[in-house]
Amino acid sequence: MNKDAGFLPLTSNVLLSSGLLLIVACYWFFEVNKAVPEPYLDEVFHVRQALVYWANDWATWDSKITTPAGLYITSYAWLWILKAVRVSSSLVTQLRSLNLLQGTIALYFASRQLLFDIPRFEDSSDDDVPRTTLARSTSPIGIDHATLNICLFPPLFFFYSLFYTDVTSTVLVLLAYMDFHLEKGRNQYFLSIAALLLRQTNIFWVAIYLGGLEVLRNLPKGRSGIEFPCKSSSLDVMTGSWQHASLYDPLVEDAWFEDYIKAGASLSIASLANMRRLAGPSVPYLSLLLGFGGFVFWNGGVVLGDKENHIASIHLAQMLYIWPYIAFFSFPLLLPYILNAIFPKTAIPSPLRIGSTRYKVPRPGITLLSLGAMLIIVRYNTIVHSFTLADNRHYPFYVFRLLLRHPAIKYLVTPIYYVCAWAAVASMSGLSGDKKKIAIQSKRDKDGSLFLLPSSETSLEPGTRVSFVLIWLLATSLSLVTAPLVEPRYFIIPWLMWRLHVPPSTPLAPAVSVRPSSSSTASKHGEQRNKVGAKEENTTHWLYNITERSFANSDYTLVLETLWFLSVNWVVGYVFLHWEFEWVQEKGSVQRFMW
């Protein structure tokens, strides 16, 4: 883990990506408030409770609300600020504007910082030794472009204009994750508690996910040919993990199916062998888990209200649904892997080629075993909540109507789950192949400023470690399989964590400055540090400069992802605003389609 991450400086590229986000989000916000000025659907409960608190009635609680009071406490502070600056719009609009603010500013800032901070390779533990690490993107504009796409993610973007818990909840989890990198936990604990006050299932992200990453950060990493043989058997991995107290942790692009099993076993054994080292760092996460367990015991369950309709259960099919969810929204990122599995290399455009043959369709034995497990889950653990088929205002209603149209359909789609799962995990490896491999050497000036400079000695490829995939899968499973109801909103944070760890598809820029420096340092490293494209950063024609560098370092999957998200948001938004209908049992009450 990167223990020395600093804040990524703002550049002129931010004006383009954040400006576009602000324009699109504000347009959506004003259109919704013009067409739907009154609270809609779950907003009825949320707005009513927020107004009760705004009236300083802290003792009244709506028994239909399932989540804690964090949203309403936050909205109280927000309404007080808007009152102080004399905003005159309706209270419903003011409450909704809280999500608009967080989606366009807080989410943007946190995602942008995380795209830079999340490391590709482990740093040296010695701060005085120059480290070899890999920057998160091709250039600053690559980071800003990916940030824009994350903020445009349709199931999240939709709620920028409605008073729901999703945006605030997501932002707090990301801020805790950002603090995990930036401040080594200085504010992380309090942000984690705040996230739990928004949604109970955040416990799996602030305690299990971040706790798991904390373990990985503190475990010694085993090296091939040293702690572990070059071709390690399962016995070699288990023996080496205990004897050397080290973690077996290959890159995703180098891992076969059995490597995930070996890495999981190694993680458990190495953790036991390093219990003293892990004891201190684990305390905050264990305290969160114990505190949450006490809450569940006191409350008699996870949800606060409407407990009869929100009973926790084991719903393994949720871990099948997440893969087509990822594939639908992020198919531009998965497309290269699917194309390379189907077509010969010569038939694929160069930007989409993957050099390694390891990304062909997995071996037949693993495929049959995986499909068999999926079929068993579909047969014995498919749960269709009564709410799902009773409310035709939500898109899952139509998905499940299709799946249940014939008894065979739910079995026939299991290969789709499998292919989507394989592509989603493979995409964490990054596109290598014919692409230029550039190592970035991290150096510090006397004033502590950090610069990333090209290294001619080392050649590395972007990618994610198997250990991260295991931690992500664990947190995702725990957060989803306990929910009998299938809602697109439940998959937002799992998707975000996956998306933040998907490496860029284009080669790195020659050099990237990651921290501002003094004037003397700037003159010393100026040319090499600032040379990102054909133009210098300080050009007066900043718009031309941004455009030229955008095309010079284009990541075509990012461009396609942007266009796809904008298209989905437009369709979903148009349907929500203009395809009104009524229920027979509720004449005169307008209904709308939404996620």
Side-chain angles (χ1 to χ4, degrees):
M1 293 291 173
N2 189 353
K3 299 179 182 180
D4 298 291
F7 284 102
L8 183 63
L10 298 178
T11 66
S12 57
N13 303 320
V14 177
L15 295 175
L16 189 63
S17 60
S18 62
L20 177 59
L21 173 64
L22 193 61
I23 291 171
V24 175
C26 286
Y27 176 78
W28 169 239
F29 179 81
F30 289 119
E31 286 297 309
V32 169
N33 280 277
K34 181 174 65 176
V36 194
E38 298 300 321
Y40 180 69
L41 212 60
D42 288 0
E43 274 194 313
V44 173
F45 307 107
H46 295 312
V47 170
R48 185 166 60 205
Q49 186 62 47
L51 295 182
V52 167
Y53 277 17
W54 180 238
N56 292 312
D57 181 1
W58 303 97
T60 301
W61 181 258
D62 191 331
S63 61
K64 288 294 183 181
I65 295 176
T66 60
T67 52
L71 178 65
Y72 318 116
I73 296 172
T74 306
S75 67
Y76 181 90
W78 178 239
L79 289 177
W80 187 89
I81 293 172
L82 294 181
K83 181 181 179 181
V85 297
R86 299 185 178 182
V87 173
S88 58
S89 58
S90 69
L91 286 175
V92 173
T93 300
Q94 291 181 41
L95 289 170
R96 289 171 172 175
S97 67
L98 175 63
N99 281 343
L100 176 67
L101 176 76
Q102 295 187 95
T104 55
I105 297 179
L107 181 65
Y108 183 94
F109 170 74
S111 300
R112 184 174 185 266
Q113 186 64 43
L114 281 167
L115 283 168
F116 174 75
D117 285 335
I118 295 173
R120 300 295 177 81
F121 295 94
E122 304 302 331
D123 288 345
S124 166
S125 59
D126 186 352
D127 286 343
D128 296 326
V129 178
R131 290 178 297 278
T132 300
T133 185
L134 204 59
R136 284 299 297 172
S137 184
T138 60
S139 64
I141 199 169
I143 294 177
D144 296 329
H145 194 168
T147 302
L148 169 65
N149 289 352
I150 287 173
C151 294
L152 288 175
F153 181 53
L156 191 59
F157 179 86
F158 183 87
F159 293 100
Y160 291 173
S161 59
L162 295 176
F163 188 58
Y164 273 62
T165 61
D166 302 273
V167 178
T168 305
S169 171
T170 301
V171 164
L172 286 170
V173 170
L174 288 187
L175 287 175
Y177 192 16
M178 186 182 76
D179 198 74
F180 172 84
H181 290 289
L182 287 178
E183 302 292 345
K184 306 175 188 177
R186 186 179 301 172
N187 301 309
Q188 179 189 337
Y189 192 78
F190 302 103
L191 288 167
S192 298
I193 293 175
L196 291 175
L197 291 176
L198 265 294
R199 182 165 287 173
Q200 297 93 316
T201 52
N202 286 340
I203 187 65
F204 302 117
W205 297 104
V206 300
I208 302 297
Y209 177 76
L210 293 183
L213 295 184
E214 187 70 55
V215 169
L216 296 181
R217 178 157 66 183
N218 286 276
L219 282 180
K221 307 304 183 293
R223 293 160 293 180
S224 179
I226 302 178
E227 283 83 6
F228 300 103
C230 293
K231 293 185 178 181
S232 301
S233 66
S234 298
L235 182 60
D236 292 332
V237 169
M238 289 187 287
T239 302
S241 299
W242 180 258
Q243 290 182 348
H244 302 288
S246 299
L247 176 65
Y248 176 79
D249 195 12
L251 289 167
V252 169
E253 69 178 52
D254 295 328
W256 295 98
F257 177 82
E258 54 268 26
D259 287 311
Y260 288 87
I261 300 175
K262 293 176 185 177
S266 177
L267 179 57
S268 301
I269 295 171
S271 298
L272 290 174
N274 287 275
M275 287 188 67
R276 286 188 179 181
R277 170 183 276 191
L278 298 177
S282 300
V283 168
Y285 306 99
L286 292 175
S287 67
L288 287 173
L289 287 171
L290 289 173
F292 184 77
F295 160 76
V296 173
F297 178 79
W298 167 80
N299 184 54
V302 175
V303 298
L304 288 178
D306 200 21
K307 294 179 181 179
E308 61 276 9
N309 290 315
H310 295 82
I311 300 173
S313 59
I314 303 300
H315 190 187
L316 297 177
Q318 293 271 32
M319 287 307 295
L320 303 181
Y321 305 146
I322 189 175
W323 305 116
Y325 179 94
I326 290 175
F328 173 78
F329 289 111
S330 299
F331 84 88
L333 306 180
L334 274 55
L335 183 62
Y337 300 91
I338 296 174
L339 290 178
N340 280 265
I342 299 174
F343 301 103
K345 186 177 179 180
T346 54
I348 301 171
S350 178
L352 300 178
R353 288 179 187 170
I354 302 173
S356 174
T357 57
R358 300 288 290 277
Y359 297 117
K360 297 298 182 184
V361 176
R363 291 164 291 179
I366 300 300
T367 299
L368 291 175
L369 181 65
S370 301
L371 288 175
M374 289 180 173
L375 288 170
I376 292 173
I377 291 173
V378 170
R379 173 64 180 86
Y380 295 104
N381 201 235
T382 296
I383 299 174
V384 183
H385 196 281
S386 58
F387 283 4
T388 302
L389 297 180
D391 194 341
N392 64 346
R393 295 170 295 186
H394 296 288
Y395 292 115
F397 169 86
Y398 301 95
V399 174
F400 275 92
R401 280 191 64 181
L402 178 62
L403 289 175
L404 299 176
R405 180 164 293 181
H406 189 279
I409 293 179
K410 63 182 181 180
Y411 298 104
L412 293 175
V413 296
T414 50
I416 296 177
Y417 299 150
Y418 179 67
V419 171
C420 293
W422 161 76
V425 174
S427 67
M428 292 188 193
S429 64
L431 298 182
S432 52
D434 297 333
K435 296 195 176 296
K436 186 178 180 181
K437 305 172 186 178
I438 300 178
I440 300 296
Q441 192 175 51
S442 172
K443 292 185 177 181
R444 287 188 180 276
D445 255 348
K446 293 180 181 179
D447 64 350
S449 299
L450 177 66
F451 299 102
L452 297 183
L453 304 174
S455 168
S456 59
E457 299 177 358
T458 311
S459 183
L460 297 176
E461 298 178 1
T464 301
R465 298 278 173 179
V466 166
S467 59
F468 167 78
V469 178
L470 296 176
I471 298 297
W472 174 73
L473 283 173
L474 176 62
T476 299
S477 300
L478 291 173
S479 66
L480 293 179
V481 300
T482 54
L485 188 61
V486 179
E487 284 199 32
R489 296 183 296 148
Y490 295 171
F491 299 91
I492 289 176
I493 294 181
W495 179 89
L496 271 174
M497 297 306 178
W498 169 84
R499 180 62 184 85
L500 288 167
H501 283 263
V502 173
S505 301
T506 53
L508 292 168
V512 181
S513 169
V514 299
R515 277 191 191 172
S517 62
S518 64
S519 58
S520 61
T521 304
S523 63
K524 184 177 179 181
H525 297 284
E527 273 190 17
Q528 190 173 20
R529 188 171 71 248
N530 294 325
K531 194 175 181 181
V532 178
K535 294 288 183 181
E536 292 295 320
E537 180 67 29
N538 60 357
T539 180
T540 55
H541 304 291
W542 62 270
L543 182 59
Y544 173 80
N545 186 32
I546 290 174
T547 305
E548 183 181 36
R549 285 187 291 129
S550 298
F551 284 100
N553 291 298
S554 292
D555 184 336
Y556 300 107
T557 59
L558 285 180
V559 174
L560 186 57
E561 186 183 35
T562 304
L563 295 176
W564 175 241
F565 281 176
L566 288 173
S567 300
V568 173
N569 284 326
W570 184 85
V571 171
V572 172
Y574 183 87
V575 170
F576 178 76
L577 294 174
H578 301 291
W579 286 18
E580 304 171 352
F581 66 100
E582 291 184 1
W583 283 345
V584 176
Q585 63 272 29
E586 293 185 19
K587 288 290 185 179
S589 179
V590 176
Q591 308 298 336
R592 301 175 185 275
F593 298 100
M594 61 184 292
W595 291 111

